[in-house]
Amino acid sequence: MNTAPAAELVVLVGLQASGKSTFQAATFAGTHALVSKDLFRRARHRQKRQMRLVEEALSQGVAVVVDNTNPSPLEWGPLLEAGRRWGVPVVAYWFPPDVEGSLARNALRPHESRVPDVGLYATAGRLRRPRRADGFDAVHEVTFDGHGGFRVRPLP
């Protein structure tokens, strides 16, 4: 039986096709509200919509997971501010970059959800590992375990 944890804000950080959405589904489905710009690709003002959904969930005491690339403080800064505003821990899950692996997994996606290679390279150029010094309450590294699952370890 899944029981909802105390409210928290989880921020996934990594390249496209790095396993973030698969990890999210395996780890947070049923316990956290999912917010992802992929769910509203055609919407105008996607960032505003994302933040509105995060704020709404946190205001109701609901745990949230934000499943986007979130490659730098520019993207995760507003999320950290929202977490502080609502007094909830903000936890980053870092997916270390594997550009070749991400390109290969991306190529296997259905055409409509495939990211242009140039977009993946652009994200790789901006990607920075989150740290507690950035304001996160905890940072975990997520890697594939070689058996279809994930290895998660806390980072200092």
Side-chain angles (χ1 to χ4, degrees):
M1 175 178 167
N2 277 347
T3 55
E8 69 174 348
L9 178 54
V10 170
V11 180
L12 305 183
V13 179
L15 293 176
Q16 300 92 330
S18 63
K20 295 182 310 298
S21 295
T22 302
F23 176 76
Q24 180 281 134
T27 308
F28 299 108
T31 62
H32 289 61
L34 170 62
V35 176
S36 172
K37 291 177 184 174
D38 289 346
L39 299 175
F40 38 91
R41 288 180 194 252
R42 300 196 193 299
R44 295 174 64 196
H45 310 291
R46 292 170 53 193
Q47 177 66 17
K48 285 183 183 177
R49 184 169 180 185
Q50 171 183 278
M51 292 310 300
R52 188 183 82 245
L53 293 171
V54 166
E55 296 273 354
E56 285 174 5
L58 293 178
S59 75
Q60 297 169 18
V62 175
V64 179
V65 58
V66 178
D67 180 5
N68 295 315
T69 58
N70 299 308
S72 74
L74 180 66
E75 291 80 16
W76 70 57
L79 296 167
L80 286 164
E81 289 172 18
R84 279 193 285 278
R85 201 167 25 260
W86 290 102
V88 300
V90 183
V91 180
Y93 285 81
W94 162 245
F95 294 73
D98 169 13
V99 174
E100 293 306 314
S102 287
L103 288 168
R105 285 184 296 277
N106 186 51
L108 297 173
R109 288 177 164 177
H111 179 71
E112 61 277 358
S113 60
R114 203 170 300 148
V115 177
D117 288 355
V118 68
L120 202 144
Y121 284 116
T123 301
R126 296 181 23 241
L127 188 63
R128 181 162 91 57
R129 188 188 92 155
R131 293 176 168 75
R132 290 195 57 171
D134 294 317
F136 289 100
D137 294 287
V139 178
H140 302 280
E141 180 182 83
V142 181
T143 56
F144 293 109
D145 69 4
H147 304 287
F150 297 93
R151 234 181 258 112
V152 179
R153 71 178 183 96
L155 293 177

